[in-house]
Amino acid sequence: MAQAQKITPRAKDYSEWYNDVIMQAELADYSPVRGCMVIRPHGYRIWELMQRALDDMFRATGHQNAYFPLFIPMSFLAKEAEHVEGFAKEVALVTHTRLKATGKAGAQAVAVDPESALEEPLVVRPTSETIIYAMFAKWIQSYRDLPLLMNQWCNIVRWELRTRLFLRTTEFLWQEGHTAHATEAEAEAEARQMLAVYRQFQEEWMAMPVITGRKTDSEKFAGALRTYALEALMQDRKALQAGTSHNLGQNFARAFNVQYQTAAGGLEYVWNTSWGVTTRMIGGLVMTHSDDNGLVAPPKLAPIQVVIVPIWKSEEEKGQVLGVGGKVKDELAKAGIRVELDSRDSLKPGAKYFEWEAKGVPVRLEIGPRDVAAGQVMTARRGGGKAPAKLDGLTTSIPGALDEIQATLFQAAKDRREAHSIRGATKARFLEFMKGGGGFAYGGFCGSPSCEAEIKQETAATVRVLPDPEFRSAEAPRTCMWCNKPSIA
RNA sequence: CGGGACGUAGCGCAGUCCGGUAGCGCACCUGAAUGGGGUUCAGGGGGUCGCGGGUUCAAAUCCCGCCGUCCCGACCA
């Protein structure tokens, strides 16, 4: 275990607090490569739990996993005009395939062999639309081949200027779904369906409330017709884009010649969608729930849901409490609970409490000689509250407690978000709101890029999402809060 | 690339103004006691003071150059 030092309070420096929580929960570490991150076992376990839940949801909606290459020929990026513009500034390139010894010492002992230059450089995928649709073109012949519903779990590289653990790293892990459909309506339905899947996952599993909607043109995915996104409010009152789903129209189908023959015999371009969520969600999880004692993990995604801390003085007591602790562990594990028995002899119980709290374990069971005698354990919840519990009822009381914690975390996050939200914002109220720290402001917006840019310039606020007109309620504002022209949202 | 700060042990830092044996806290190793909310005592290991040059009897400290990192902006899942 690394040094468990006091975590910087959230109120003092949010970025520092965020880094402290991650380091002390042992979720990740900085790597020797600038901008890259090492995900440690505790953090990776969260990702595995996320993967498993999402995979089930993807499969239930008819999608299959596949894997496409890491390298993309540079010319592929050039085929879709907006796409290349969007990613040109942040790609890593492979240009050579060999090194050679120079005979010099130290760092100069090897150099790039100029004779090994590739005829066409390879791009390390910043996203896989191009290479996937190049394959789709081979696989799709007839309307009978549609819809084609695929997903891949992989790593991608975007050479970002500034990086932050989990939120924006040079290399990151994600999932990217790619589909091809016969009609625009089908593609639109797919893009929205996957947005709904993400919402369900983020609210039910991550206990992170989100708002969804369409992105403005300035924030839409490079090459998409429409981009939908999920937005969550973090504890520093800043928005986090937690996932996106794009209706790509026929842009990539035309660029990669993905055509199918219709039942009537004609030739048509397919309609594509792509959608993805990333390890950024782990950052979102940290910023949504954690406190000044460290990580708070929602039970459904907690790598360890229950930790048992035995307490003893003599060797005799040690044997007793470890015996009971071992039995409790086996029973809970058999009931499907992720449980750990901390039998280390090198730390006092109090030190163990702090350590497991920093790692976000939702429930702690303390078992000492007094508990063994009384046939009970002390239960302590991560959010506070200690109570004794009967030994023989644990397999029902613990799952109940975990469900309750999950629900409480979601409600608390929602309450926090609403405490920093205003509805029906006017320009004056909005300016005042932003001066007071901001949050989510709901208001009318005309949709013009100039208003959007002005708002950003003057208040540092960004337009996060536009609700669809069809979801627009009767009391929705009719005019732009900034310029008073008719509102589109 | 523009603005600011900083580089001294694994981490966090003091020492720099005013040159004179490289220090503190945490972590790590050994031993003993301790054990229901960060345990104590004793002993121990670990540093080309970012790099290069200059001044000086003597440089972490003064001077010059370079490199790197972090924070704020532009970019972004």
Side-chain angles (χ1 to χ4, degrees):
Chain A
M1 175 72 191
Q3 65 285 6
Q5 283 171 8
K6 269 230 158 83
I7 291 171
T8 306
R10 266 167 305 184
K12 205 177 148 210
D13 182 333
Y14 195 82
S15 294
E16 215 175 303
W17 168 82
Y18 174 76
N19 281 334
D20 285 353
V21 171
I22 287 170
M23 299 301 266
Q24 286 178 35
E26 297 185 341
L27 298 181
D29 203 350
Y30 297 101
S31 87
V33 181
R34 191 205 153 271
C36 290
M37 171 181 66
V38 176
I39 303 180
R40 304 182 67 180
H42 197 63
Y44 197 77
R45 189 81 180 100
I46 296 177
W47 183 238
E48 286 178 328
L49 291 163
M50 286 177 162
Q51 278 185 303
R52 193 194 297 167
L54 284 166
D55 243 345
D56 287 346
M57 295 167 99
F58 295 159
R59 217 166 308 144
T61 43
H63 303 85
Q64 302 186 84
N65 284 328
Y67 187 80
F68 296 84
L70 169 69
F71 299 130
I72 297 175
M74 195 169 74
S75 59
F76 278 31
L77 282 206
K79 293 191 182 193
E80 212 288 328
E82 276 189 35
H83 193 64
V84 66
E85 206 178 307
F87 287 104
K89 297 159 290 180
E90 54 176 17
V91 292
L93 289 171
V94 178
T95 55
H96 292 76
T97 64
R98 281 197 306 271
L99 298 174
K100 60 175 187 181
T102 59
K104 292 180 190 165
Q108 268 122 46
V110 289
V112 172
D113 181 350
E115 285 176 24
S116 71
L118 289 171
E119 265 179 51
E120 179 182 357
L122 297 169
V123 169
V124 180
R125 62 184 163 213
T127 179
S128 304
E129 273 77 7
T130 55
I131 197 150
I132 289 181
Y133 299 138
M135 295 309 295
F136 276 19
K138 289 174 73 173
W139 297 339
I140 294 168
Q141 310 294 332
S142 142
Y143 70 94
R144 292 182 219 275
D145 298 324
L146 299 175
L148 188 54
L149 308 173
M150 292 215 171
N151 178 62
Q152 91 165 331
W153 291 94
C154 67
N155 59 335
I156 65 177
V157 167
R158 294 181 188 174
W159 216 263
E160 302 288 354
L161 300 172
R162 258 183 85 207
T163 59
R164 288 193 66 196
L165 291 173
F166 287 113
L167 301 179
R168 199 189 305 104
T169 47
T170 300
E171 178 188 5
F172 57 93
L173 303 181
W174 79 345
Q175 146 285 305
E176 50 179 324
H178 293 272
T179 68
H181 306 265
T183 65
E184 175 171 23
E186 248 186 71
E188 180 64 19
E190 166 78 4
R192 291 188 188 209
Q193 171 186 247
M194 299 323 287
L195 188 75
V197 163
Y198 288 153
R199 171 194 276 279
Q200 189 186 351
F201 171 74
Q202 293 179 352
E203 298 201 325
E204 289 180 12
W205 289 76
M206 295 173 66
M208 181 174 81
V210 291
I211 56 171
T212 55
R214 193 160 58 82
K215 281 289 188 188
T216 60
D217 282 351
S218 73
E219 301 220 4
K220 139 195 121 160
F221 176 74
L225 206 59
R226 277 187 286 279
T227 289
Y228 297 99
L230 303 102
E231 299 281 342
L233 191 69
M234 303 293 106
Q235 293 188 67
D236 60 354
R237 299 162 77 172
K238 287 187 181 150
L240 183 80
Q241 182 173 314
T244 48
S245 180
H246 317 288
N247 181 340
L248 301 175
Q250 293 179 307
N251 294 342
F252 286 92
R254 287 180 200 280
F256 289 90
N257 208 27
V258 191
Q259 288 180 300
Y260 71 99
Q261 199 161 20
T262 64
L267 207 52
E268 299 278 355
Y269 287 108
V270 301
W271 296 81
N272 292 114
T273 79
S274 71
W275 26 274
V277 291
T278 78
T279 37
R280 172 183 278 185
M281 289 192 297
I282 297 175
L285 198 74
V286 170
M287 293 194 291
T288 298
H289 302 299
S290 300
D291 59 25
D292 292 352
N293 291 323
L295 181 68
V296 173
K300 282 189 173 189
L301 293 174
I304 300 168
Q305 295 172 306
V306 175
V307 65
I308 303 166
V309 178
I311 297 152
W312 69 77
K313 289 189 187 121
S314 63
E315 279 301 305
E316 189 195 345
E317 285 174 349
K318 180 178 175 181
Q320 275 180 355
V321 296
L322 282 182
V324 174
K327 249 179 69 188
V328 170
K329 180 190 170 181
D330 291 344
E331 277 173 26
L332 291 178
K334 213 177 286 171
I337 290 165
R338 297 186 286 275
V339 58
E340 206 63 34
L341 172 64
D342 187 353
S343 55
R344 287 175 297 176
D345 203 356
S346 53
L347 290 175
K348 285 181 71 170
K352 292 181 181 177
Y353 300 165
F354 278 91
E355 190 176 311
W356 292 114
E357 271 165 22
K359 289 189 136 190
V361 180
V363 172
R364 180 179 72 236
L365 301 182
E366 304 166 12
I367 305 181
R370 296 206 294 269
D371 301 301
V372 173
Q376 65 170 39
V377 299
M378 280 304 285
T379 68
R381 295 191 183 189
R382 177 62 177 77
K386 264 197 190 190
K390 284 260 167 288
L391 253 179
D392 47 16
L394 286 177
T395 50
T396 53
S397 67
I398 295 294
L402 292 174
D403 288 346
E404 213 177 291
I405 292 168
Q406 182 85 25
T408 304
L409 286 177
F410 180 68
Q411 193 53 48
K414 207 165 182 176
D415 291 346
R416 257 194 312 272
R417 183 186 74 185
E418 291 309 307
H420 299 299
S421 296
I422 54 168
R423 283 158 206 280
T426 59
K427 184 170 180 178
R429 257 191 89 204
F430 175 62
L431 288 174
E432 194 188 337
F433 178 63
M434 289 309 295
K435 244 181 258 165
F440 280 154
Y442 300 77
F445 176 58
C446 65
S448 86
S450 62
C451 264
E452 187 177 359
E454 257 182 53
I455 290 170
K456 194 169 179 180
Q457 178 97 47
E458 287 187 33
T459 68
T462 48
V463 176
R464 303 311 300 188
V465 286
L466 312 168
D468 283 312
E470 66 191 82
F471 300 136
R472 187 170 164 169
S473 60
E475 63 274 18
R478 293 288 159 190
T479 58
C480 177
M481 68 170 182
W482 201 257
C483 69
N484 283 321
K485 287 189 193 132
S487 173
I488 58 162

